[in-house]
Amino acid sequence: MPVFEEIYERIKLATSSRTQVELAEVLDIRQSSISDAKRRNSVPGDWYMKLFEKYGLNPDWLKWGIGPMYLRTEQGYMPQDAPASLAENTACYGDALAKSFMCTEYDMQCVYSDNAPRPELTAAGKISLPFSLGREGLLALRMRGTNMSPLILPGARLGVDTLDVSVLSGRIYALFAPNEGLMLRRVFLNGTQDGYLLRSEASDFPETSLTPDLLSKRLLGRVVWILQEL
């Protein structure tokens, strides 16, 4: 599940909401606002404040599944751990740098068309990540293909910031492509500044170009970290 879905499931469990209609009533918002958040793959910040004020829920637990489930109870501010079945904390050390969280990783293979909605990605497994690598809008992917070798090898784990869609020339981005699914490319503004060039790291892959509108439609986000065995 994308990052929104993981947080959404924790919110439903904590509030005993079974449907979007019920959750919309809990959050005092329109049901369409939940659909919009799902489409953006991002949970609005005011949801966390409302859930804390109404239920005493810990924003860190909602985001990452770590720490106490509640920061406030009927007796006051008394942290209460989440039930063992819901907890995802894989490190219980005092040092913040030692903390980690469980994240779903996704396969880059999918069927994409510019004339259809973006496809749902297939979960490839779970990965334990340092807390410092987490961020709002993070999507973890498992690299396929050799076009970014030797920088990024097949099987590498990638962190994609799906909220970072402002292209800066030379950075690596994840994009959808017909017949390929998700792919990685370095993106550059072309010489006439009216389109973009997409380049692989491996020299035997051809350079391609996209119009600004098509790039915006296909762009998933920027690659912000890589984990791989050398």
Side-chain angles (χ1 to χ4, degrees):
M1 292 182 292
V3 62
F4 173 85
E5 292 293 345
E6 295 183 347
I7 299 173
Y8 179 62
E9 289 301 319
R10 281 193 283 270
I11 292 175
K12 288 201 301 181
L13 285 168
T15 61
S16 299
S17 300
R18 295 171 297 175
T19 65
Q20 285 192 6
V21 174
E22 292 179 355
L23 183 57
E25 292 179 357
V26 168
L27 295 171
D28 193 24
I29 59 176
R30 292 174 299 180
Q31 183 182 350
S32 61
S33 297
I34 298 177
S35 299
D36 290 342
K38 182 177 181 179
R39 176 177 51 80
R40 294 192 305 269
N41 198 32
S42 176
V43 175
D46 59 343
W47 289 19
Y48 299 114
M49 180 58 69
K50 288 180 180 179
L51 291 167
F52 171 73
E53 292 176 344
K54 195 167 185 178
Y55 295 94
L57 288 166
N58 178 5
D60 280 341
W61 179 81
L62 291 171
K63 288 181 180 180
W64 312 113
I66 67 171
M69 183 175 180
Y70 296 100
L71 292 180
R72 188 187 65 213
T73 66
E74 293 180 356
Q75 289 74 38
Y77 291 90
M78 299 171 58
Q80 177 178 332
D81 288 334
S85 60
L86 302 182
E88 294 185 3
N89 189 1
T90 59
C92 301
Y93 306 103
D95 187 349
L97 295 177
K99 292 183 178 179
S100 63
F101 67 100
M102 293 301 296
C103 180
T104 303
E105 61 178 17
Y106 296 87
D107 195 327
M108 296 174 66
Q109 184 174 8
C110 61
V111 178
Y112 174 82
S113 170
D114 289 327
N115 299 319
R118 286 186 173 182
E120 293 288 335
L121 299 179
T122 301
K126 291 276 188 178
I127 183 172
S128 178
L129 295 173
F131 190 76
S132 59
L133 294 184
R135 61 178 67 191
E136 191 78 9
L138 178 72
L139 185 67
L141 301 175
R142 184 179 295 179
M143 180 64 181
R144 61 189 293 263
T146 60
N147 73 292
M148 297 304 289
S149 298
L151 178 63
I152 306 175
L153 302 175
R157 270 63 176 185
L158 315 166
V160 175
D161 186 344
T162 62
L163 302 183
D164 189 346
V165 291
S166 298
V167 174
L168 185 62
S169 285
R171 290 189 171 181
I172 299 175
Y173 295 86
L175 308 98
F176 289 96
N179 304 319
E180 284 199 42
L182 271 175
M183 64 180 189
L184 301 186
R185 294 292 190 275
R186 286 195 187 274
V187 179
F188 297 87
L189 186 66
N190 66 15
T192 55
Q193 299 186 358
D194 59 358
Y196 292 90
L197 303 176
L198 280 57
R199 298 174 183 166
S200 297
E201 290 291 301
S203 59
D204 53 340
F205 286 81
E207 178 180 274
T208 56
S209 60
L210 288 178
T211 63
D213 288 345
L214 199 52
L215 177 67
S216 177
K217 182 178 182 64
R218 295 183 180 182
L219 185 62
L220 177 64
R222 182 172 68 88
V223 176
V224 291
W225 50 256
I226 304 166
L227 299 177
Q228 65 183 1
E229 184 176 352
L230 298 178

